[in-house]
Amino acid sequence: MPAVKTTPAMTDVQRQLQRLNEVPAGAHRVVSCYLKLEPRDRARGKYLIKLKNRIRAVEAGLERLGLDRAIREAVTRDLQRMQEHFRSPGQLPAAQGVALFACEPLGLFEVLALPRVHRSRLAVDRTPLVRELVAVDEEFGRIAAAVVDRTTARLFEVTAFGAAELPPITANSTRGGKFRGDQDAPGWGEHAYHNRIREEKQRHFDRIAQHLFALDRRSPFRGIVLAGTGTDATAVQPFLHPYLLDRLFGSARLNVKDATPATVQAAVLEVREEFERTAERLRVHEMEEGLGSGWAVNGVRPVLRALARGQVRTLLVDAEASAPGFRGAESGQLALAARDVRENGEPLPVVDVVDDAIEEALAQRVAVDVVHAPEAAEAIDGMAALLRFR
């Protein structure tokens, strides 16, 4: 592969992305794999079963692509290398997703750990399919995490690929000791002591909320996560400015003293995932309501037509959906049947039109939601979409 110029300020992920973007198109084919590695995917090796099924589907579809024998054999070897790499759980990153790009003729074999992937998918194309890599960082954005207790707040800035700790906040707390019993009324010292503790906690939580607001004003966060033990995890919530409250993803259980950037990022990912699942169900409900008024479509064929017209605002995908299809040679339009794109030149077969639709949606900067909740996925006929215009 050609030499790549990088700068010291670039992260490892940015360097890998630059290398992938510079892969030249040619007669070769690049295998792109995105694999979900959430706990339910790792259980009993489900991720590997899904990968093997997709590899079989791709191998079966290679004949349809009309590739030369030498190219097909190189792709087959890349698929075997990929399967061998993922066979051992010890090769898996401690992340909820991973991307792998392989091309034997170019000496390419790049692996990137990801905080999430839309769904497990496998594709063969002239160049690496990297739009999801770009989108994951943009969609994730920056999340503020505050790990608090009665006297301390440790603040973290969490991105798709890591977490960094910010300067902490420490309260001016009342020191422990005997109650001051120098007042006439019995118990007066204890009552005053507890009032003082309560006021100090409230001032501390208010200070945390004000600090988060100031940080957000300088550079807005995509979301907020509060963490702590017991009631401390949600104690700051009543003090948050409405602008921040609208972006509160939820709370997590973490101890201030034990928190590390890695444990904070893991907790934020878990809270964000639950937040997204709730939002996912709301978007499916919005899609069902929009069908009657023409502001939504349901089904692979109408969604592909809407994508070709640039109508799609949000793409909803059943996590288990797949179907072979075609792409117009001149327009790039996707379709289930060759006749639907024949006017754009000789139709080019694609292994899975649903996976290609996700890539096309990302290219159009469309929001992509892969629906996993069974009750929500039942409402989607393979793919559905919320529309920008009718």
Side-chain angles (χ1 to χ4, degrees):
M1 292 181 62
V4 178
K5 294 181 181 180
T6 60
T7 64
M10 294 175 69
T11 65
D12 290 340
V13 172
Q14 288 172 329
R15 292 189 184 95
Q16 287 177 293
L17 182 58
Q18 184 180 36
R19 286 197 295 270
L20 293 168
N21 276 325
E22 294 185 0
V23 170
H28 57 266
R29 290 297 183 272
V30 179
V31 177
S32 301
C33 175
Y34 290 90
L35 198 59
K36 289 180 69 66
L37 295 176
E38 296 175 14
R40 61 174 173 266
D41 301 302
R42 294 174 185 262
R44 297 188 296 277
K46 289 182 181 178
Y47 77 92
L48 190 57
I49 295 173
K50 289 183 178 181
L51 178 63
K52 289 179 178 178
N53 290 338
R54 291 193 172 274
I55 287 176
R56 282 195 291 268
V58 168
E59 288 176 334
L62 287 178
E63 291 289 342
R64 296 179 63 242
L65 299 181
L67 302 176
D68 291 342
R69 179 177 177 181
I71 297 176
R72 292 202 308 271
E73 290 177 348
V75 170
T76 299
R77 288 192 293 273
D78 284 332
L79 293 171
Q80 292 171 347
R81 284 196 299 160
M82 183 175 293
Q83 181 174 326
E84 187 62 31
H85 179 82
F86 288 128
R87 187 182 302 278
S88 171
Q91 294 273 39
L92 301 178
Q96 297 204 17
V98 65
L100 192 153
F101 304 91
C103 181
E104 184 183 76
L106 297 178
L108 174 67
F109 198 82
E110 292 274 353
V111 183
L112 295 88
L114 300 174
R116 56 168 291 188
V117 299
H118 289 299
R119 77 172 192 163
S120 294
R121 57 192 181 106
L122 187 61
V124 177
D125 209 329
R126 293 179 178 275
T127 56
L129 304 184
V130 298
R131 291 192 178 104
E132 187 164 349
L133 293 181
V134 177
V136 69
D137 195 33
E138 294 178 351
E139 292 175 2
F140 196 95
R142 295 165 55 252
I143 297 175
V147 188
V148 308
D149 64 12
R150 185 174 68 87
T151 62
T152 306
R154 293 177 63 190
L155 305 178
F156 295 82
E157 179 183 297
V158 182
T159 66
F161 299 104
E165 186 164 4
L166 305 175
I169 298 174
T170 304
N172 296 320
S173 60
T174 297
R175 300 177 65 181
K178 295 182 178 179
F179 303 126
R180 290 182 59 86
D182 54 357
Q183 305 297 327
D184 293 335
W188 190 96
E190 181 177 353
H191 177 75
Y193 175 85
H194 286 295
N195 274 344
R196 193 160 59 250
I197 293 295
R198 188 180 305 109
E199 290 174 1
E200 287 173 355
K201 287 174 64 176
Q202 291 174 349
R203 285 197 298 270
H204 176 52
F205 296 144
D206 182 61
R207 187 182 173 199
I208 296 169
Q210 293 298 327
H211 192 69
L212 287 171
F213 182 69
L215 290 173
D216 183 74
R217 289 293 296 272
R218 288 199 292 269
S219 181
F221 293 110
R222 180 63 56 85
I224 306 291
V225 172
L226 302 176
T229 56
T231 58
D232 287 340
T234 56
V236 179
Q237 182 173 337
F239 298 89
L240 290 177
H241 190 282
Y243 292 161
L244 297 185
L245 198 57
D246 289 342
R247 282 173 281 151
L248 180 63
F249 284 169
S251 61
R253 188 174 182 83
L254 284 174
N255 189 294
V256 169
K257 295 178 180 178
D258 299 332
T260 66
T263 59
V264 169
Q265 188 195 30
V268 167
L269 288 175
E270 186 175 341
V271 171
R272 187 182 185 277
E273 183 70 17
E274 183 57 35
F275 178 84
E276 286 295 320
R277 289 289 173 262
T278 301
E280 178 182 285
R281 289 188 284 270
L282 292 175
R283 282 187 282 269
V284 171
H285 179 68
E286 182 183 354
M287 179 273 295
E288 291 177 308
E289 289 192 332
L291 290 174
S293 59
W295 285 104
V297 292
N298 194 6
V300 176
R301 183 168 273 107
V303 167
L304 293 179
R305 285 199 294 265
L307 268 176
R309 297 169 184 154
Q311 286 178 282
V312 177
R313 170 167 58 92
T314 300
L315 178 67
L316 303 174
V317 182
D318 181 345
E320 304 302 325
S322 65
F326 296 86
R327 182 187 293 275
E330 297 178 8
S331 66
Q333 179 180 344
L334 294 167
L336 283 173
R339 63 177 180 274
D340 295 336
V341 291
R342 198 174 296 280
E343 62 185 27
N344 298 313
E346 186 63 25
L348 303 175
V350 297
V351 175
D352 188 343
V353 76
V354 176
D355 282 347
D356 279 43
I358 292 175
E359 192 70 15
E360 177 62 28
L362 293 172
Q364 297 182 23
R365 303 184 73 84
V366 167
V368 177
D369 285 326
V370 177
V371 181
H372 296 271
E375 69 280 5
E378 286 178 1
I380 299 174
D381 185 11
M383 292 193 295
L386 305 174
L387 304 181
R388 294 189 177 109
F389 57 88
R390 293 183 288 187

